[in-house]
Amino acid sequence: MRLSTAHTYDAGIDNLQRRQLELAEQQMQMTSGKRVNRASDDPTAAARAERAMALEARSVASQRAVEASRNAMQTGESALGDATELLQQARETLVAAGNGSYSDSERSSLVQALRGIRNQLFAVANRSDGSGGFVFGGQGSSAPPFVERPLPEGVAFVGTAGQTVVASGEALPVTLDGEAAWLQARTGNGVFETQATTQGGSAWIDAGNVGDPAAVSGNPYSLSFSVDAAGVATYTVLQDGLPTALTNVAYQSGTAIEIDGLSFKITGQPADGDQFDVVPSEASLNVFKMLDRAAIALETLGLNGGQVTQAVTLGLRDIDASLGRLQSQRALAGEALNRIDGVEDRLAAVKLGAKVERSSAEDLDMVEAISKFQQQQTGYEAALKSYSMVQRLSLFQYINP
C-alpha cells in the first residue's frame, strides 16, 4: 500500500491534535477534581450526581426548618421554666398570707406582691419568639395572644388553639398552644372541685380526695348547714338537687365526709345557712383568674380565721394544679427538643449519604488521574517526535543534502 507524504503529514497532525485534546481534558479534570464536568462526560454519572445534589438541597432546607423549631422550643421551654418559678413564688406568698396573726394591712401587702407576680406571668404568656411571632401564639397570631378584659372574664386567649408546625419531612412545632398551657388546667383535685359558696362562719372545706374511683358518679353535690339555737350543727348533702342518705347528719369538725367514692373534710364552726359545693372537675382553670380570685378573697377586710384559711387552701390547690399543667407543657417542649435532635441526626445522615453519592458519581480518583496524565503526556511527546521525523521524510532532503 502506498502512502503519500501529504497523508502522512495529515495523520500526524490529527494524532497530535487528538492527544493534545485528551491531555487538556485530563488536565481540566485534575484542576477541578471532578471526573464529570459536563453531562456529556458521563450522562449516567451526571444524572446520579444531579439526584444527589437535589437530595442534599432538600436536606439543607429541612435543616433550616429544624433550627427554627429548635429555637422556638428552647424559647418556649425557658418561658415555661420562668412561669414555674413565678408560680412557686406565688405559692410561698399565699402560704405567708395564711398567717392567722396578720392584720388586714399586712395581708394587703402580700396581696400586692401576688398581683405583681400575676402581672409577670401575663408578660411571660405574651413573650415574643424573636421572629415577629409569639411563643404561645398557637396556630399563629400577629398580636399578643393574651388580652386583659374586665372581671369576671379576666385574661382571655385571642389566638387560635393548637400549634404551628414547620414544613419539613417531619412535623415539628414552632409555637406552643397558649390556651392549653395557661387556661386548661383541671380544676379542683383533678376529679372534683370543692367550693365555699356561702361562708358566714369559720368553717372551711379542704381540696378532698378520691377514696373509691369506681364509685365516683360525676354528679354535683351541695352541702348545707343548719345550726340551732344551742349551736348544734347538722348538714345535709344533695346530689344534683336531690336528697341523699346524708340528711341532717350531726357535724363534727375535721371528720371526713364520704359520698360516692369522694372524701373531703370541713373544719371549723359553720354558721346557719353556710353552703359548700362539690362539682366535677373541668379542664378550665385559668392561671390568671385563679390568682385574681385568690387576691380578691384575701384583700377583703374583716375576714375571720376560717375564711382566710379557706382562701389560702383553695388558692394553693389551684396553684398546684396550674403548676402541674405548666410542667406537663414544659415536658412536651422537652420531648419536642429530643425529637428535633433525632430529626437533625437523620437529616445529617441523609445529607452525608447524598454527598457520598455525588462524590462517587463525579469526583476524580486523583492518583489514577495523575498516572493517566503522565501516560498521555508521554504519548504526546512521542507523537511530537514521530511527527518531527515524518517531516524530514522528503525527497528534497536527499536531492539537496
Side-chain angles (χ1 to χ4, degrees):
M1 181 177 66
R2 296 175 60 189
L3 296 175
S4 66
T5 302
H7 178 270
T8 304
Y9 286 168
D10 290 344
I13 291 174
D14 288 343
N15 186 35
L16 281 174
Q17 290 176 338
R18 177 174 56 80
R19 289 182 177 275
Q20 191 175 29
L21 179 61
E22 292 175 351
L23 195 63
E25 288 284 346
Q26 191 67 24
Q27 192 171 21
M28 182 179 68
Q29 289 182 352
M30 291 174 61
T31 302
S32 66
K34 295 187 179 297
R35 181 177 62 85
V36 180
N37 289 289
R38 298 180 297 270
S40 58
D41 293 340
D42 187 338
T44 301
R48 285 174 56 201
E50 191 66 26
R51 287 194 295 271
M53 288 174 62
L55 181 58
E56 186 178 351
R58 287 197 298 271
S59 298
V60 170
S62 296
Q63 183 66 39
R64 288 196 291 268
V66 167
E67 288 301 323
S69 180
R70 182 194 300 281
N71 291 337
M73 290 301 100
Q74 286 176 339
T75 304
E77 195 274 340
S78 176
L80 289 168
D82 293 343
T84 298
E85 291 181 5
L86 286 169
L87 275 180
Q88 291 286 6
Q89 294 177 25
R91 196 181 196 285
E92 294 170 3
T93 302
L94 205 56
V95 169
N99 191 325
S101 64
Y102 280 0
S103 64
D104 288 342
S105 61
E106 289 172 321
R107 193 173 296 112
S108 177
S109 65
L110 291 173
V111 168
Q112 294 306 313
L114 195 63
R115 292 190 185 280
I117 293 171
R118 181 261 192 210
N119 292 336
Q120 291 181 66
L121 283 168
F122 182 76
V124 172
N126 279 331
R127 181 170 293 180
S128 170
D129 61 6
S131 58
F134 297 88
V135 175
F136 298 99
Q139 295 187 39
S141 177
S142 58
F146 292 91
V147 296
E148 294 271 14
R149 289 177 177 168
L151 293 174
E153 183 176 3
V155 173
F157 181 74
V158 294
T160 303
Q163 287 183 298
T164 301
V165 298
V166 292
S168 65
E170 298 186 41
L172 297 175
V174 289
T175 61
L176 294 173
D177 188 345
E179 185 176 37
W182 298 90
L183 309 183
Q184 291 184 348
R186 293 200 66 82
T187 58
N189 57 22
V191 177
F192 64 92
E193 178 186 7
T194 56
Q195 301 172 348
T197 307
T198 304
Q199 191 183 15
S202 63
W204 57 276
I205 189 169
D206 68 359
N209 58 75
V210 178
D212 183 4
V216 176
S217 67
N219 293 320
Y221 302 87
S222 63
L223 184 152
S224 58
F225 281 97
S226 295
V227 182
D228 60 20
V232 177
T234 59
Y235 64 86
T236 296
V237 178
L238 300 180
Q239 177 182 331
D240 204 11
L242 301 176
T244 66
L246 300 178
T247 300
N248 294 326
V249 179
Y251 167 70
Q252 291 183 348
S253 176
T255 300
I257 300 172
E258 297 180 354
I259 182 169
D260 294 339
L262 310 183
S263 177
F264 51 89
K265 294 179 181 179
I266 296 178
T267 305
Q269 181 60 42
D272 187 50
D274 278 1
Q275 179 178 327
F276 298 89
D277 291 337
V278 178
V279 298
S281 177
E282 297 178 351
S284 60
L285 183 59
N286 182 319
V287 173
F288 310 101
K289 289 175 67 175
M290 171 267 294
L291 292 175
D292 287 338
R293 186 165 55 245
I296 290 171
L298 288 171
E299 69 183 357
T300 303
L301 301 178
L303 295 177
N304 61 45
Q307 292 168 332
V308 171
T309 302
Q310 184 68 87
V312 171
T313 299
L314 298 185
L316 291 176
R317 178 200 64 188
D318 292 344
I319 285 179
D320 289 342
S322 298
L323 273 171
R325 184 65 177 179
L326 290 177
Q327 287 168 348
S328 69
Q329 293 295 308
R330 190 178 184 184
L332 290 177
E335 186 276 332
L337 286 170
N338 289 335
R339 186 152 47 91
I340 288 168
D341 289 339
V343 172
E344 189 173 42
D345 291 342
R346 290 191 287 276
L347 284 176
V350 169
K351 188 176 178 181
L352 178 61
K355 287 183 176 180
V356 170
E357 174 66 11
R358 181 182 176 187
S359 175
S360 174
E362 66 180 12
D363 282 2
L364 185 68
D365 185 337
M366 194 60 69
V367 175
E368 180 183 354
I370 291 173
S371 176
K372 188 175 181 180
F373 179 78
Q374 290 174 343
Q375 290 176 0
Q376 290 176 337
Q377 191 174 37
T378 301
Y380 180 66
E381 291 173 353
L384 280 174
K385 290 180 180 179
S386 174
Y387 181 69
S388 66
M389 293 177 66
V390 168
Q391 276 188 319
R392 291 196 294 271
L393 294 179
S394 171
L395 182 61
F396 297 102
Q397 296 282 347
Y398 297 96
I399 295 175
N400 299 302

